[in-house]
Amino acid sequence: MTLKYIYFGFAILGIFLFFFLLKKFFRWLQTKLDALDRNVLFKKKELLNIFKFITPRREKHILKFSVRALRIAISIFFLVVYLPFVFSFIPETKEVASTVFDYVMKPVQFIVSGFLQFIPGLFFILVIVFITKYLLKFLKYLTGELEREAVRLDGFHADWAKPTFNLIRVVIIAFAAVICFPYIPGSQSDAFKGVSIFFGVLFSLGSTAAISNIVAGVVITYMRPFKVGDRVEIGNTVGDVTERSLLVTRVRTIKNLDVTVPNSTILGNHIINFSKNAAEEVGVILHTSVTIGYDVSSGEVIKALVKGAKNTDMILKSPEPFVLVKSLDDFYINYEINCHTKNPEKGAVIYSLLHESIKNELHNAGIEILSPHYNAVRDGSVLTVPPENVPKGYVKPGFKVEN
């Protein structure tokens, strides 16, 4: 019995000796780490290209943290394994030793038995992952062929290929996850089910707006109202489409501002695409209005407006610009000049040049640009019609003064 107590004493001293040597070793290791001035783990070019953010100083911090964590882990493992051995020397602590040993072995046995039971399910999951991976690779290859129009399907447009692949990929991955779910360890436990329900409810409550935008994005994709690069007007926003996703569409305005428009908003608004028909022979018609008094000949106004449009850069000479008399208002005539262009994305510049050109032509023709208003005092006023339309023998009336 005395000999066992002596062994017990030596075993306790062994604990202090182990921790003394462990401390010495890790202190020596820390000094080596402090002296590092270059990468050790990430010194290969391939790793440096992937982990560019890991500088020598950051790697030193990572290694120091790893060393401290390793020291703690070794200490805990030593105590858990060594203390039952120490307590087994004397009868008073034998039960404590067996209890501690049971505490250690139960989780180990649970993990080992659980892993052995999981092996058949693991092979099933690996087969599903393998099939899913190569099915997606095939669909990605087919998508590339459809985008390049090497493969054609009746009624299927090339710009539908990528969004369709993204949708099918989500469905396939979700289907594979549903099939693999029962084979995941712990998936049948109440805790796992409770967490799944919690996240499902949380996703349902928090993603209403996101889901509506995704649905709208899918609808817009297959409506094909515009593509990236088109000049569009969505609500009050005019600009070029720079990005299109399932959630939002980004438009860069003529003032170089990026506007992010939710897809649900786009679906609820009218969409004007200025670029879609610009490549056609007649291009897109730009138009602007000017109001001139009744005393100016309409022929002269129309001639000046057409000449001004023809002299404007980026306006097509054929088809020829044309003028519409939009309305005969109370005091003036509203003329609308219409001209064709193949550069609708430069609409703001073209309109500025067009306004300047028609202003100059009207002035050169001696036509004053104004919208006259009249007071209803008819006596003494000349007829407000073009001179060539004044009746022969017309005499300007004088003012009538009655007693």
Side-chain angles (χ1 to χ4, degrees), residues 160-177:
W160 286 355
K162 192 170 183 178
T164 303
F165 168 72
N166 290 333
L167 292 173
I168 294 175
R169 180 174 60 181
V170 170
V171 172
I172 290 174
I173 293 174
F175 185 69

Side-chain angles (χ1 to χ4, degrees), residues 37 93 97 101 151 164 181 194 222 255 257 296 300 331 349 360:
D37 57 355
T93 57
F101 188 75
V151 176
T164 303
F181 183 81
Y222 291 99
K255 303 297 184 182
L257 302 175
V296 182
E300 294 180 10
F331 306 109
V349 175
N360 292 337

Side-chain angles (χ1 to χ4, degrees), residues 13-24:
L13 290 175
I15 294 175
F16 289 103
L17 178 62
F18 173 80
F19 279 105
F20 175 76
L21 295 175
L22 187 70
K23 183 179 179 181
K24 285 284 186 183

Side-chain angles (χ1 to χ4, degrees), residues 202-252:
L202 194 65
F203 179 79
S204 300
L205 294 176
S207 62
T208 305
I211 295 298
S212 64
N213 281 322
I214 290 172
V215 172
V218 173
V219 173
I220 291 170
T221 297
Y222 291 99
M223 282 172 55
R224 303 177 71 237
F226 53 78
K227 63 180 183 294
V228 174
D230 283 355
R231 170 62 61 88
V232 297
E233 179 180 343
I234 302 172
N236 296 323
T237 303
V238 180
D240 300 321
V241 178
T242 58
E243 182 184 344
R244 189 180 67 182
S245 66
L246 283 178
L247 288 172
V248 298
T249 297
R250 288 184 172 83
V251 178
R252 180 167 296 169

Side-chain angles (χ1 to χ4, degrees), residues 223 225-226 232-238 261 264-274:
M223 282 172 55
F226 53 78
V232 297
E233 179 180 343
I234 302 172
N236 296 323
T237 303
V238 180
V261 187
S264 57
T265 302
I266 296 175
L267 201 60
N269 269 299
H270 65 276
I271 305 168
I272 301 175
N273 191 326
F274 296 99

